Amino acid sequence: MNGIYIALGSNIGDREGNLKRALDMLEESSVHIIKKSKFYETKPYGVADQPDFLNAVAEVSADMQPIDLLHTMQDIERCMGRERKRHWGERNIDLDLLIYPNVIMDTPELTLPHKDMENREFVLRPMTEIAPDLVHPVLGSTMQELLNALLY
């Protein structure tokens, strides 16, 4: 399945190295990178008393269902030593499943498209770089329109 979008973030340790390692581990897990944005330096979201983040978005292809992809991503986070100390807190790696084609779901484990992504510049800016005309499946606006609405 093509057209799957994943957000990546890191704000402790070797941030750039963490993002590159996560992308490599996705490839090793049969999640093929189609496109990736550049890395963006961003301020923390939700909890301000922590280091700045490095964020990116990747379009990927994977032959697995959304929940299986989520579990693969969580396995990569665990393998990389992610510790969940506080909600929206510091982390060496954060992988979020943003959009999975033709899937809208809201379960305790997974919400697609990713909840509140339209209010997160650190998601929309890299999304707009690689997929400006991608339409949010619930809101009906393109990524570029969502970014413009957030910024202006």
Side-chain angles (χ1 to χ4, degrees):
M1 172 74 62
N2 290 342
I4 302 166
Y5 291 86
I6 295 174
L8 303 94
S10 175
N11 76 333
I12 55 175
D14 177 2
R15 299 175 309 159
E16 184 173 340
N18 292 337
L19 297 183
K20 288 178 178 178
R21 182 170 177 222
L23 288 165
D24 289 344
M25 292 178 77
L26 285 164
E27 283 281 355
E28 293 164 8
S29 301
S30 299
V31 179
H32 306 291
I33 310 301
I34 297 170
K35 273 192 250 183
K36 63 183 176 200
S37 72
K38 66 181 182 182
F39 298 154
Y40 289 85
E41 179 99 17
T42 63
K43 294 290 180 198
Y45 181 86
V47 177
D49 66 333
Q50 59 181 314
D52 288 350
F53 277 83
L54 207 56
N55 291 99
V57 168
E59 178 185 0
V60 303
S61 172
D63 187 23
M64 56 183 86
Q65 294 300 310
I67 200 70
D68 298 321
L69 179 54
L70 174 68
H71 293 160
T72 297
M73 293 163 49
Q74 290 171 337
D75 288 345
I76 290 169
E77 289 177 335
R78 274 191 295 279
C79 184
M80 289 183 65
R82 174 168 177 179
E83 295 179 21
R84 296 178 188 268
K85 296 179 180 176
R86 60 180 175 158
H87 185 63
W88 287 342
E90 321 52 23
R91 48 208 175 267
N92 67 319
I93 192 65
D94 184 33
L95 301 174
D96 287 320
L97 184 52
L98 299 173
I99 292 178
Y100 191 101
N102 304 314
V103 175
I104 297 172
M105 63 187 291
D106 188 3
T107 70
E109 191 171 15
L110 179 60
T111 299
L112 289 171
H114 193 280
K115 187 176 183 173
D116 204 36
M117 66 182 274
E118 68 274 12
N119 294 312
R120 299 174 181 192
E121 183 179 355
F122 65 90
V123 170
L124 292 176
R125 190 167 299 282
M127 277 291 283
T128 299
E129 178 190 334
I130 64 172
D133 298 323
L134 178 70
V135 175
H136 189 288
V138 172
L139 301 175
S141 298
T142 67
M143 295 299 123
Q144 185 67 62
E145 290 167 340
L146 292 172
L147 180 61
N148 291 347
L150 183 64
L151 296 179
Y152 306 108

